[in-house]
Amino acid sequence: MSVRTRFAPSPTGFLHIGGLRTALFCWLYARRHGGRFVLRIEDTDLERSTEAAIQQILDGMEWAGLVADEGPFYQTRRFDRYREVIDELLAEGKAYRCYCTKEELDALRAEQLARGEKPRYDGRWRDRTDARPGVQPVVRFKNPTGGEVVVEDVVHGRVVFQNAELDDLIIARSDGSPTYNFCVVVDDMDMNVTHVIRGDDHLNNTPRQQNMLVALGRKPPVYAHLPMILGADGAKLSKRHGAVSVLQYRDEGYLPEALLNYLVRLGWSHGDQEIFSIEEMVRAFDITDVNKSASAFNAEKLAWLNQQHMMRAEPRRLVEPLRWQLQQLGIACDDDAHLEAIALAQRERAKTLKEMAANSLFFFQPPADYDEKAVRKHITVESIAMLAEAAARLDRLDGWDAALIHAVVNEVATAAGAALGKLAQPLRLAVCGGTVSPPIDATLALLGREESLRRIERALARWRA
RNA sequence: GCUCCCUUCGUCUAGAGGCCUAGGACACGGCCCUCUCAAGGCUGUAACACCGGUUCGAAUCCGGUAGGGAGCGCCA
């Protein structure tokens, strides 16, 4: 049977990097094996699921490029099917109605806890066929009482659970609605999921699900429980520690392939390779190479990878995100070629596109003022003379490109017996207002002759005064 | 409390009993390159949680201890 994986988020919050990595591994595994990747929205918790969260998850996955081959399927649209399976289980005596009240269950739990036992349902309605008037029953699955359940997990190996540790879990609430663990089983079965790849917080749910699958006459799928991603401080990802929407990474100026590259290397590696294109990931990824231990999120490494990906990207790809970042800073630019040229000139000096935009403002507006410290350091009688000379020669230049500009700057400095920097820095100060920019020839070339000269003249007027 | 899972540099990882004087990457420091900032190159600091055992030999196998995590809901 061909490989089918699924990503099954519940829309009770945003899609964060933990979820994204799970989705990535599912997607990679399916791609690698020519299988199909299914998206399922687990929205049975009517209270907490929201339309906005669903949309947000969909947007996040689209941005990341993790396109589902099938779905999204919604569990809320499958209630009839769940009902059908519950009735089947009931008819076969594999499930039963339990008329315990919440109060009774609470009392039971309290007693067990008091005795130092693991709280679990004691099966008191398991063999009863009567009803209790006035109580809407729940339906419980008849879990085997003895023996063991063996989960053959691809990442954790063989994990053994005693059935005695498991209780009869509720599969339908008293209002008739199905519960999570049951829906998962029915869905994975109906959708012919061959590989369940999910966070290892679900490892403890697996024996119950496996038992239900067996009761339904199905062979369990292959399980792969991925280690968690922790916050930078090594603690669980929380709202205060890095648990942000993946869309926030987009807005902060990260490339999706960089985020994915970062995530794929959490719990997985391929020799000494650090940088992967999406294609390389698909080719190299294997779920059996995944680690067992949790990993901490490291923002510096993500930033480094983002820069590496920006430097390797097709320059055209940087145009749209750069335009968007500039817009956030109040700059509108519809000249694609210009944006591409700026990105090319700036990408080795920015970790993110947001930073690139911030560093590139001077390409769109003259400096409001000049870095005072730098002026004191670089602006002298000699440099002013060189600036004037350079301006005059640049004005007469036959053509306008980095090579021609470089020649002029070089000659003027040499003629004055100065190092290139003695002229480059004043020039940079004049056109950028600061001391940081791409090489001065490239900067002037990008700025254009007219604007460059205008800025130099303006600066000279100021500094001569 | 009970069950299950995890443990190599600060962080991500390589490592399948001798190839380990433990390799790579991020970060950090130094040097080089250099018109600035970067990028790049070279280089340095830094780890097998602990205790026992098996073995000629253990980061690797076994047992225990400690620490961390998850689950034990009419949440997912």
Side-chain angles (χ1 to χ4, degrees):
Chain A
M1 185 158 58
S2 73
V3 166
R4 291 173 64 83
T5 61
R6 50 52 158 198
F7 177 53
S10 61
T12 52
F14 43 60
L15 176 65
H16 56 76
I17 54 168
L20 218 216
R21 189 188 56 156
T22 301
L24 172 64
F25 281 21
C26 291
W27 183 85
L28 284 174
Y29 193 77
R31 285 285 81 82
R32 165 76 193 276
H33 292 91
R36 303 192 49 91
F37 171 58
V38 179
L39 176 60
R40 179 169 80 222
I41 304 294
E42 309 216 321
D43 54 353
T44 52
D45 185 348
L46 285 347
E47 301 281 301
R48 298 195 299 149
S49 297
T50 68
E51 199 54 49
I54 292 173
Q55 194 50 51
Q56 214 263 40
I57 289 168
L58 263 23
D59 290 348
M61 291 187 64
E62 192 190 339
W63 173 69
L66 302 183
V67 182
D69 298 305
E70 291 174 30
F73 298 110
Y74 295 86
Q75 291 188 322
T76 43
R77 306 214 187 122
R78 289 174 47 78
F79 276 21
D80 288 349
R81 170 60 180 152
Y82 303 136
R83 188 71 249 171
E84 183 179 81
V85 180
I86 287 166
D87 288 344
E88 198 180 303
L89 252 17
L90 241 17
E92 292 170 356
K94 292 172 177 169
Y96 61 95
R97 293 191 175 81
C98 165
Y99 289 83
C100 283
T101 61
K102 283 182 185 169
E103 293 68 37
E104 273 179 275
L105 294 174
D106 287 345
L108 177 64
R109 210 184 331 268
E111 277 171 40
Q112 289 166 327
L113 245 16
R115 269 184 264 128
E117 286 170 18
K118 176 177 181 170
R120 51 171 157 344
Y121 178 66
D122 61 4
R124 58 182 68 173
W125 284 85
R126 192 174 165 110
D127 299 311
R128 289 173 67 165
T129 48
D130 55 326
R132 185 190 274 176
V135 175
Q136 281 298 315
V138 298
V139 178
R140 288 183 184 270
F141 171 69
K142 253 187 201 171
N143 196 78
T145 49
E148 54 190 33
V149 195
V150 178
V151 176
E152 294 288 354
D153 191 274
V154 175
V155 345
H156 289 274
R158 183 187 165 94
V159 184
V160 181
F161 297 85
Q162 296 302 316
N163 271 317
E165 291 294 332
L166 273 24
D167 63 0
D168 293 346
L169 77 158
I170 293 172
I171 59 177
R173 304 182 182 95
S174 42
D175 66 2
S177 64
T179 59
Y180 167 78
N181 273 111
F182 176 72
C183 295
V184 167
V185 166
V186 176
D187 287 343
D188 285 343
M189 171 175 89
D190 287 355
M191 296 171 190
N192 290 308
V193 171
T194 60
H195 297 255
V196 170
I197 300 170
R198 78 231 294 195
D200 66 12
D201 47 339
H202 287 289
L203 187 53
N204 285 300
N205 286 330
T206 309
R208 300 167 177 286
Q209 294 182 5
Q210 207 167 283
N211 280 338
M212 284 191 276
L213 231 22
V214 169
L216 289 166
R218 283 301 192 105
K219 243 213 206 77
V222 173
Y223 290 103
H225 286 94
L226 309 174
M228 304 272 89
I229 296 177
L230 309 174
D233 55 357
K236 192 185 172 188
L237 263 189
S238 66
K239 293 232 163 62
R240 294 193 59 235
H241 284 108
V244 298
S245 164
V246 304
L247 292 174
Q248 197 160 322
Y249 289 96
R250 174 195 64 190
D251 296 350
E252 288 297 317
Y254 291 88
L255 253 18
E257 60 267 39
L259 216 212
L260 260 22
N261 189 162
Y262 177 71
L263 292 177
V264 83
R265 283 284 291 97
L266 253 31
W268 178 81
S269 64
H270 183 67
D272 285 340
Q273 188 171 351
E274 294 290 348
I275 299 165
F276 293 83
S277 66
I278 302 293
E279 297 71 41
E280 287 173 318
M281 279 182 224
V282 170
R283 236 177 298 129
F285 184 76
D286 194 335
I287 195 77
T288 61
D289 295 334
V290 173
N291 277 174
K292 300 174 184 192
S293 50
S295 38
F297 184 81
N298 186 285
E300 278 94 35
K301 186 150 184 185
L302 203 213
W304 174 77
L305 272 169
N306 196 54
Q307 178 166 40
Q308 294 299 317
H309 278 273
M310 289 200 297
M311 292 192 296
R312 285 166 173 74
E314 201 62 55
R316 290 195 54 82
R317 285 208 54 245
L318 304 176
V319 170
E320 282 314 319
L322 176 59
R323 194 200 320 274
W324 187 85
Q325 293 292 162
L326 283 165
Q327 251 159 33
Q328 305 310 301
L329 297 173
I331 304 280
C333 177
D334 55 9
D335 184 344
D336 287 14
H338 194 225
L339 288 174
E340 189 177 320
I342 289 172
L344 215 45
Q346 293 276 238
R347 62 182 176 177
E348 62 236 14
R349 65 203 92 239
K351 299 281 193 198
T352 65
L353 287 145
K354 184 176 185 174
E355 191 186 330
M356 183 189 287
N359 293 344
S360 301
L361 288 177
F362 62 79
F363 283 119
F364 301 93
Q365 52 199 204
D369 45 30
Y370 303 95
D371 181 331
E372 264 182 59
K373 236 179 88 181
V375 169
R376 277 201 298 277
K377 180 170 178 191
H378 297 290
I379 304 309
T380 60
V381 193
E382 295 77 34
S383 66
I384 285 176
M386 278 194 287
L387 270 178
E389 171 65 10
R393 294 194 47 176
L394 288 171
D395 196 21
R396 294 195 300 270
L397 206 50
D398 190 18
W400 190 259
D401 65 38
L404 291 170
I405 294 165
H406 184 81
V408 168
V409 176
N410 217 359
E411 282 162 23
V412 171
T414 307
L420 184 56
K422 294 287 182 204
L423 174 53
Q425 281 302 74
L427 266 174
R428 191 162 356 243
L429 216 34
V431 300
C432 310
T435 56
V436 176
S437 88
I440 194 62
D441 47 3
T443 301
L444 294 184
L446 269 168
L447 224 36
R449 187 199 313 253
E450 214 181 306
E451 183 62 19
S452 297
L453 290 173
R454 188 171 19 229
R455 291 189 190 183
I456 294 169
E457 291 305 338
R458 197 174 73 121
L460 277 174
R462 164 90 73 100
W463 293 332
R464 277 176 175 143

